[in-house]
Amino acid sequence: MKKFTFIAIAFLISFVSQLKADEGMWIPLLLEKYNYADMQAKGMKLSAEDIFSINQTSLKDAIVIFGRGCTAELISNEGLILTNHHCGFGQIQRHSSLDHDYLTNGFWAMSRNEELVNKGLSVTFLVRMEDVTQAALDGVNDDMSQKERQEKTKENIDKIVEIATKGTHYEANVKPFFNGNEYYLFVNEVYKDVRLVGAPPSSIGKFGGDTDNWMWPRHTGDFSLFRIYADKDNQPAEYSPDNVPYKPKKFFPISLKGVKKDDFTMVYGYPGTTQEYLTSYAVKNITEVSNPNKIAIRETILDVMNADMEADPQVRIQYASKSAGVANAWKKWIGENRGLNRLDAITKKEELEKEFYDWVGLKSSRRKKYSNILNNYREIYQHKAPYQIAIDYFFEAGWSMELVKFARSFDALLKITKNSPNTEIEKVVAQVRAASEGFYKDYNLATDKKIFDRVFLGMYYKNVPVEYQPDIFRLVDKKFKGDTKKYLDYVYSKSMLPHPNKLNAFLDSYKASSNKKIINDPAYQVYVSLIAMYTQKLNKPYQVLNNQIDSLDRHWMNVLREMDSEKVFYPDANFSLRITYGKVDDYLPRDGVFYKHYTTLDGIIEKDNPEIYDYDVPDRLLELYQKKDYGQYAENGEMHVCFTGTNHTTGGNSGSPVINGNGELIGINFDRNWEGTMSDIMYDPDMCRNITLDVRYCLFIIDKFAGARHLIDEMELLN
């Protein structure tokens, strides 16, 4: 009896602790089977069918993939969508110039005719999803090599996609779950006419800049507005002035009630990538080998960019989006390493691996199947370490250089011969010219040259073993006697790529015999040398090691599920539609420090500093604050800005709707706290917090700050 009681109590403690921790990125198709009862207990009032259904309209129909890496939500029956400012930042930046500085001043379309077209931007609706594991693994067996398994699975997936899309305008993909143990089909509908409607100035939408990024307390009005357009039949269409606003199946009503501590919250969106089931060897590779090098390289790039941006307004516009992109991962990796070290993640993983040895030793069938798995992991990661360093330097210090990526545009010209028809030559030249126009618009030679000097010549050349260096460095050794400054000046003075006048003159008189000039161009030679090194020395062995790890990961996932058969596992994020739920909550980041769960406009005014671009509060916002002119959007005389919750989120969740128990929009997910960035690898319920922009602050900015009341009138506001 005592033994039974002990076991029962232990199970209860384990069960309660699982409920307390709001970890997990759950498949909406399986919501009712695994999560719905827990969600109800925590405050969800909608039915599982209201949240996700393939037979009737549900909340999923109001959620889209925005572009290639964010989420957005519909907030009106006129195709109006809400996402983050940083998700729309690229579009805002591309429409900006010194004459129309939408980054600094914001943009608001006061009529449909003023909404701005965004070439290449799309939004993607999920039509349906389906478990296709059996079909995807048809003919696959354990005797196959990883390569054979991948080839057979790909063949099966191609057939699944073909059947799913035949006779439709839909697109489809099949994604692996649980490291390739399960597969799901996603059928999508893509709309390609998406126009910019509104964006606050960066002093609101990017308030705090990189300093506040990943931090709490937060005061960033990180939102932008776009509109989906369709043809007259409400179907997807390329841009046309005849297109009309899309009529959605579903859009979110917006709650003006705000949130209180412990309120239920649900984030519904497209998280990008997590790695929750890694071994200790993988975590060591990340924290001790890969992250430190990537952090150091990006920090150097940021030092250059930020100095030049502060010195020149034109450079600030040109490099705003680039700098933000570099800084985002840089700061995340720093926080990730700190969080994993604080959690002693490697030790925790090693403790689990010790449990595995005890478990596997209980049965001969387990020993036969799994006994060597951890030894194999250890050997592979030992072999992988030098390749990991070389790969990180290639992508971060080599391929990230602007001049190198631009040089790739000239490959098409080298395919032209003296027998090529004029029409083909003209087409390729026009493509290169178009690429160059986009490149030079946001290019500053002095900035690029400093990065080439400090990162490529200063770090890559000095820190990577010779066997993994591009051969161009031997030119530096021989022709320039190791004098990197002379080589730097040679590249930027002799190459035509950094100089638009030289390149345009070359393209104006281009003919097949001109290809020698491309081949001999110093900047193009750097590109060729880098690519040759990557393809000849790195890519194949690195992929072989990764394939071996993929195979082990699939088996290790099975081990974990067999070891804890009572636990409901969630699959790692893979940029497919997921649900995560939790509650509004504060946290204690360190001893003696308490962070409450929300911030207000008072905090923005406290940070106001006209001398710092990221903290220069607009005069209009100061005026509204002084008058306390908050309209219907305030709460007890305060204008709330952001709040924190326990929802498990990651990249891709940017722009995701944050929903209350009634299915009403209460905010937009836009970040995580720095202390919780390790949640991609290990979730800590006491420390991991998602950061949400209070939707009432968005409405306040649209209405009171921008005077765009017509947009508010489109929405359904609930008191």
Side-chain angles (χ1 to χ4, degrees), residues 415-429:
K415 296 177 181 178
I416 291 175
T417 68
K418 62 181 181 180
N419 297 320
S420 298
N422 288 335
T423 53
E424 179 65 20
I425 296 173
E426 291 170 0
K427 178 182 176 181
V428 175
V429 169

Side-chain angles (χ1 to χ4, degrees), residues 214-215 273-276 278 282-292 294-295 328-346 648-651 672-684 688:
W214 297 107
M215 305 302 287
T273 303
T274 57
Q275 299 171 289
E276 304 292 342
L278 296 176
V283 177
K284 283 180 182 178
N285 181 71
I286 291 169
T287 59
E288 298 175 6
V289 179
S290 186
N291 278 358
K294 293 189 294 186
I295 290 167
N328 191 54
W330 165 75
K331 197 167 186 178
K332 189 258 187 182
W333 292 327
I334 295 173
E336 182 176 78
N337 267 21
R338 289 182 179 181
L340 291 170
N341 289 333
R342 178 181 57 79
L343 288 174
D344 200 9
I346 293 173
H648 190 181
T649 61
T650 188
R672 285 173 285 168
N673 61 328
W674 206 24
E675 299 86 358
T677 53
M678 72 291 170
S679 62
D680 288 347
I681 295 170
M682 185 173 286
Y683 182 87
D684 178 3
C688 292

Side-chain angles (χ1 to χ4, degrees), residues 13-58:
I13 291 172
S14 174
F15 181 70
V16 171
S17 68
Q18 282 193 23
L19 291 184
K20 181 182 177 183
D22 296 314
E23 178 182 2
M25 297 178 178
W26 304 98
I27 303 173
L29 180 68
L30 305 177
L31 189 64
E32 189 162 19
K33 181 178 180 181
Y34 291 126
N35 305 97
Y36 182 63
D38 185 39
M39 292 175 68
Q40 273 189 312
K42 291 183 175 180
M44 172 51 75
K45 304 293 195 301
L46 301 182
S47 70
E49 277 281 300
D50 290 332
I51 299 169
F52 180 88
S53 176
I54 58 174
N55 299 313
Q56 65 184 40
T57 299
S58 61

Side-chain angles (χ1 to χ4, degrees), residues 532-552:
M533 182 277 303
Y534 176 76
T535 55
Q536 294 169 16
K537 299 179 181 179
L538 290 181
N539 186 42
K540 186 174 181 180
Y542 189 72
Q543 289 305 320
V544 168
L545 292 169
N546 280 338
N547 283 340
Q548 292 172 352
I549 291 171
D550 288 344
S551 180
L552 292 175

Side-chain angles (χ1 to χ4, degrees), residues 442-608:
D442 295 322
Y443 178 72
N444 184 56
L445 188 152
T447 303
D448 189 44
K449 188 174 181 180
K450 291 173 191 173
I451 293 173
F452 193 101
D453 180 26
R454 293 183 59 184
V455 175
F456 187 59
L457 297 176
M459 299 179 79
Y460 204 147
Y461 180 46
K462 295 178 180 178
N463 297 343
V464 176
V466 172
E467 59 265 34
Y468 299 123
Q469 288 185 359
D471 289 341
I472 198 71
F473 286 146
R474 305 294 73 79
L475 176 69
V476 179
D477 294 334
K478 294 177 182 179
K479 184 175 180 179
F480 296 89
K481 310 300 181 186
D483 190 332
T484 57
K485 296 296 182 184
K486 284 186 178 180
Y487 175 68
L488 177 70
D489 291 336
Y490 164 75
V491 171
Y492 281 83
S493 63
K494 297 299 183 181
S495 173
M496 62 179 167
L497 271 61
H499 307 283
N501 56 335
K502 290 183 180 180
L503 179 60
N504 286 331
F506 170 77
L507 293 176
D508 288 342
S509 59
Y510 177 81
K511 48 189 176 182
S513 58
S514 303
N515 283 345
K516 289 183 179 180
K517 188 170 183 180
I518 299 174
I519 294 170
N520 294 325
D521 186 278
Y524 187 79
Q525 287 180 338
V526 173
Y527 156 72
V528 170
S529 182
L530 272 166
I531 295 300
M533 182 277 303
Y534 176 76
T535 55
Q536 294 169 16
K537 299 179 181 179
L538 290 181
N539 186 42
K540 186 174 181 180
Y542 189 72
Q543 289 305 320
V544 168
L545 292 169
N546 280 338
N547 283 340
Q548 292 172 352
I549 291 171
D550 288 344
S551 180
L552 292 175
D553 285 346
R554 178 165 45 83
H555 291 300
W556 183 243
M557 192 71 243
N558 283 333
V559 166
L560 295 176
R561 294 167 89 177
E562 287 181 36
M563 283 176 61
D564 195 354
S565 59
E566 297 297 320
K567 179 179 177 179
V568 178
F569 285 79
Y570 64 91
D572 273 319
N574 58 1
F575 204 52
S576 61
L577 188 62
R578 302 292 182 89
I579 286 171
T580 178
Y581 59 95
K583 64 180 181 179
V584 177
D585 205 0
D586 46 42
Y587 72 105
L588 300 166
R590 54 192 177 275
D591 183 50
V593 178
F594 167 75
Y595 284 155
K596 70 179 182 181
H597 62 277
Y598 70 94
T599 59
T600 69
L601 186 54
D602 291 349
I604 294 177
I605 305 306
E606 289 170 1
K607 291 180 177 180
D608 182 26

